[in-house]
């Protein structure tokens, strides 16, 4: 029966685990059933409820020997060891600076005692005697692969060869490291420090390179975007420029047609067909005329390729421009030049178209003194001339020059000086200083005679002849 079976199981398992047992799978005999108050625990044990709950019917039907408490404890301990083996333990030894946990207080004896009994010095000696650094190949290669160009960025070969490339790139000696089957061993801490320093330096370099490459990539992407935008703008602008060029060509074709029609009807009176053409011809002719206008009074050149319908305008403009030039020239003349110009006008009225050499003498000013000895003020004849002018009130010196007198019979040459005043003509002997009056003249005649060049001027009393050199060299009485 059911009651007899429970009684037999209870007598069979007389030893139960203690209430504080932590073995995995051990039932807690003191844990109450859900919904049962703690005051009824003793009654539950007495009536066999705990046995029924702790041993299911499926387990009772099985013929397999149940697991004992020792086996359960062993299984729990093995599971704990498996969990611990999957971890990497780090042994931390804490050293108290003082017994009171006070800040800024260091008890040297207490610290030395802890170091001695924790075995730190022995651990250091062991570490120094052996290899202080040991890492598996995958970890070592993954961390320090930037130090060799063979292993960077990815190493696909055997791990021990990758480790060998790295230590060769660092420059370790043969006694500083050893390569095992699965790990690499480094003896000295300074070698480890050198390895980390190289790693940090290379890491910064790689970070800079990666940053530069990324910036270059982003810059290129931005450049490509800007290039596409520029190409689009250029394409649109070329379209607009082509349209504008086409419009200009169409306008040019229209203008050329109008000018061809105007050229065909250029000799007709002004009408709608030739109005624009004649206007353009007039403007072009005026521009050419502006570039070739005479620059002085003596320049009489004028534009020659004048259209027929502008010949009258050309003559009017030439006359106006000529008058304007003369007016400007006269206004700019100094006062002391005007008397000389008046003398030139008188000579022009007398000798123009009558004397062949006259045009060559136009550019030379008339001179009142032509003495071989020099200026009259520096000449010994100055006193004689002053005496002659003092005898005749109001007389002014007009001309004085060296002349040659020829005798009537033998034509003997004699040096004389001809002096012409506003009232009289005198012949002076430069050696004897004698003065001979040859006659009285009107003022107008006295102005004209000394400047006459190359022609004979006759009077009832005497005759004068002038050479091309403007020296009076003959005198006939």
């Amino acid at each position: 029966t059911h009651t007899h079976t429970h009684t037999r199981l209870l007598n069979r398992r007389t030893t139960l685990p203690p209430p504080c047992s932590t073995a995995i799978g051990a039932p807690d005999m003191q844990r109450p059933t859900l919904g049962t108050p703690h005051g009824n625990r003793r009654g539950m044990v007495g009536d066999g409820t705990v046995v029924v709950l702790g041993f299911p019917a499926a387990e009772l039907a099985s013929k397999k020997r149940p697991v004992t408490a020792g086996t359960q404890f062993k299984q729990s301990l093995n599971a704990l060891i498996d969990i611990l083996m999957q971890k990497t333990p780090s042994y931390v030894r804490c050293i108290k600076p003082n017994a009171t946990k006070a800040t800024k207080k260091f008890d040297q004896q207490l610290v030395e005692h802890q170091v001695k009994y924790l075995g730190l010095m022995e651990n250091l000696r062991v570490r120094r005697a052996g290899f202080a650094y040991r890492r598996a190949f995958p970890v070592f290669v993954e961390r320090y692969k930037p130090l060799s160009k063979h292993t960077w960025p990815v190493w696909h070969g055997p791990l021990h060869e990758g480790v060998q490339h790295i230590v060769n790139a660092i420059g370790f000696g043969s006694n500083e490291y050893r390569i095992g089957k699965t790990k690499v061993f480094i003896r000295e801490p300074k070698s480890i420090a050198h390895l980390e320093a190289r790693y940090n330096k290379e890491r910064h370099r790689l970070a800079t390179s990666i940053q530069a490459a990324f910036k270059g990539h982003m810059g290129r992407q931005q450049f490509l975007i800007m290039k596409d935008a520029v190409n689009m703008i250029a394409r649109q602008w070329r379209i607009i420029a082509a349209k504008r060029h086409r419009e200009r060509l169409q306008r040019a074709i229209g203008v050329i047609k109008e000018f061809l029609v105007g050229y065909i009807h250029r000799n007709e009176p002004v009408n709608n067909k030739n109005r624009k053409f004649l206007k353009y011809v007039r403007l072009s002719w005026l521009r050419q005329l502006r570039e070739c206008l005479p620059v002085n009074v003596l320049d009489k050149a004028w534009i020659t390729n004048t259209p027929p319908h502008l010949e009258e305008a050309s003559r009017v403009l030439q006359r106006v421009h000529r008058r304007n030039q003369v007016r400007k020239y006269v206004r700019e003349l100094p006062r002391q030049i005007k008397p000389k110009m008046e003398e030139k006008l008188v000579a022009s009225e007398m000798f123009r178209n009558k004397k062949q050499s006259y045009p060559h003498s136009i550019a030379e000013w008339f001179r009142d003194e032509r003495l071989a000895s020099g200026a009259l003020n520096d000449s010994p004849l100055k006193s004689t001339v002053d005496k002659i002018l003092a005898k005749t009130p109001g007389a002014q010196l007009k001309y004085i020059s060296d002349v040659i007198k020829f005798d009537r019979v033998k034509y003997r040459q004699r040096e004389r000086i001809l002096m012409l005043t506003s009232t009289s003509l005198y012949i002076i002997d430069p050696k004897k200083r004698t003065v001979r009056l040859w006659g009285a003249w009107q003022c107008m005649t006295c102005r004209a005679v000394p400047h006459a060049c190359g022609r004979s001027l006759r009077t009832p009393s005497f005759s004068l002849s002038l050479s091309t050199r403007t020296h009076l060299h003959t005198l006939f009485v």
Side-chain angles (χ1 to χ4, degrees):
T1 62
H2 183 70
T3 306
H4 177 72
T5 303
H6 278 279
T7 304
R8 185 163 50 90
L9 287 175
L10 182 60
N11 296 329
R12 192 176 180 181
R13 301 187 64 178
T14 55
T15 305
L16 295 177
C20 60
S21 176
T22 57
I24 300 176
D28 191 356
M29 302 302 294
Q30 296 183 359
R31 182 174 298 174
T33 307
L34 293 177
T36 304
H38 292 278
N40 297 332
R41 287 181 180 179
R42 185 172 300 176
M44 292 174 58
V45 176
D47 58 3
T49 306
V50 174
V51 178
V52 175
L53 295 177
F55 299 95
E59 184 178 353
L60 296 176
S62 176
K63 295 182 179 181
K64 185 178 180 180
R65 184 179 179 181
V67 181
T68 62
T71 304
Q72 294 179 0
F73 181 79
K74 183 179 178 180
Q75 292 177 356
S76 300
L77 187 59
N78 290 334
L80 178 60
I81 292 174
D82 292 338
I83 295 173
L84 293 177
M85 291 303 294
Q86 294 177 1
K87 309 299 180 181
T88 303
S90 299
Y91 300 95
V92 179
R93 293 174 176 84
C94 298
I95 299 175
K96 299 179 181 180
N98 55 75
T100 60
K101 298 183 181 181
T103 59
K104 298 181 181 181
K105 184 179 179 181
F106 186 82
D107 189 349
Q108 185 175 357
Q109 295 180 357
L110 178 61
V111 173
E112 291 178 354
H113 178 77
Q114 295 179 71
V115 170
K116 179 179 179 181
Y117 284 95
L118 287 174
L120 297 181
M121 303 303 296
E122 287 76 6
N123 290 336
L124 292 176
R125 293 191 196 96
V126 172
R127 282 291 184 177
R128 288 182 179 178
F131 293 90
Y133 178 88
R134 57 193 68 187
R135 283 291 183 272
F137 289 160
V139 178
F140 187 84
V141 172
E142 184 65 24
R143 178 174 177 81
Y144 299 110
K145 64 182 180 181
L147 300 180
S148 176
K149 62 180 181 181
H150 300 285
T151 58
W152 177 259
V154 180
W155 173 251
H156 298 286
L159 292 177
H160 67 277
E161 293 182 4
V163 173
Q164 189 65 46
H165 285 304
I166 294 174
V167 296
N168 292 338
I170 297 173
F172 283 165
S174 59
N175 60 343
E176 294 184 14
Y177 72 97
R178 290 291 185 273
I179 298 178
K181 294 184 178 179
T182 59
K183 293 184 180 180
V184 58
F185 303 90
I186 300 177
R187 186 183 301 276
E188 299 293 337
K190 62 180 182 181
S191 301
I192 301 173
H194 176 65
L195 178 64
E196 287 295 328
R198 287 285 301 273
Y199 171 72
N200 292 329
K201 183 178 179 180
E202 190 67 19
R203 182 176 61 179
H204 289 297
R205 188 188 69 81
L206 291 176
T208 304
S209 301
I210 295 172
Q211 184 180 14
F214 179 75
K215 288 184 178 179
H217 175 73
M218 296 302 297
R220 176 169 178 78
Q221 296 297 326
Q222 186 67 21
F223 167 76
L224 294 177
I225 294 173
M226 295 177 63
K227 182 180 179 181
D228 295 339
V230 170
N231 292 336
M232 182 179 295
I233 295 173
R235 182 168 60 254
Q236 297 298 326
W237 171 249
R238 285 194 293 269
I239 294 173
I240 295 174
K243 291 181 179 179
R244 292 181 179 178
H245 183 65
R246 183 185 62 184
E247 294 175 357
R248 287 196 298 270
L249 289 178
Q250 292 177 353
R251 290 195 299 268
I253 292 172
V255 172
I256 292 173
K257 288 182 179 179
E258 292 181 358
F259 270 68
L260 288 176
V261 174
Y263 177 78
I264 295 173
H265 301 277
R266 65 184 182 278
N267 296 325
E268 299 178 2
V270 179
N271 51 45
N272 294 331
K273 296 181 179 181
N274 61 3
R275 180 176 288 104
K276 290 186 178 180
F277 178 79
L278 296 179
K279 181 180 179 180
Y280 174 77
V281 171
R282 181 170 63 254
L283 292 176
S284 300
W285 180 78
L286 290 175
R287 293 191 186 98
Q288 295 179 6
L289 179 62
R290 180 183 59 186
E291 299 296 332
C292 62
L293 286 174
V295 295
N296 52 50
V297 180
L298 299 179
D299 186 8
K300 296 183 180 180
W302 194 254
I303 188 171
T304 56
N305 53 344
T306 304
H309 65 283
L310 296 176
E311 290 181 354
E312 182 64 23
S314 176
R315 289 191 293 269
V316 173
L317 291 175
Q318 183 179 10
R319 184 168 58 254
V320 171
H321 180 70
R322 184 75 176 175
R323 289 179 180 178
N324 185 41
Q325 280 189 321
V326 172
R327 182 168 173 269
K328 289 173 61 177
Y329 182 77
V330 172
R331 284 189 173 185
E332 293 175 358
L333 282 177
R335 293 185 178 181
Q336 59 271 20
I337 300 297
K338 287 186 178 182
K340 296 182 180 181
M341 294 298 296
E342 292 177 356
E343 294 174 355
K344 284 288 185 179
L345 289 176
V346 174
S348 177
E349 294 175 357
M350 295 175 62
F351 301 113
R352 187 178 180 181
N353 299 328
K354 297 179 183 179
K355 179 183 175 184
Q356 186 176 1
S357 61
Y358 172 72
H360 301 286
S361 63
I362 294 177
E364 298 182 4
W365 294 108
F366 294 136
R367 292 188 297 173
D368 297 338
E369 302 176 7
R370 293 183 181 272
L371 297 177
S373 58
L376 180 61
N377 295 331
D378 300 334
S379 176
L381 298 175
K382 176 63 176 175
S383 59
T384 304
V385 173
D386 292 340
K387 291 179 181 179
I388 294 173
L389 295 176
K391 291 180 181 179
T392 306
Q396 297 179 359
L397 179 62
K398 294 295 183 180
Y399 188 74
I400 184 169
S401 175
D402 296 328
V403 296
I404 303 298
K405 176 185 176 184
F406 295 88
D407 293 341
R408 290 189 177 187
V409 179
K410 296 183 178 182
Y411 298 104
R412 184 179 177 182
Q413 298 182 4
R414 302 178 186 277
E415 295 182 358
R416 296 290 184 271
I417 294 177
L418 184 142
M419 176 181 171
L420 182 64
T421 65
S422 57
T423 58
S424 305
L425 179 66
Y426 299 91
I427 298 297
I428 303 174
D429 189 349
K431 297 180 180 180
K432 299 180 180 180
R433 303 290 178 87
T434 57
V435 181
R436 186 174 180 180
L437 177 65
W438 279 85
W441 291 79
Q442 295 181 359
C443 182
M444 190 62 184
T445 305
C446 294
R447 291 175 58 190
V449 170
H451 308 304
C453 301
R455 296 285 295 179
S456 297
L457 182 62
R458 300 179 179 276
T459 63
S461 57
F462 64 92
S463 172
L464 296 176
S465 177
L466 304 178
S467 68
T468 57
R469 295 182 181 180
T470 67
H471 287 279
L472 183 65
H473 61 85
T474 56
L475 176 63
F476 296 93
V477 181

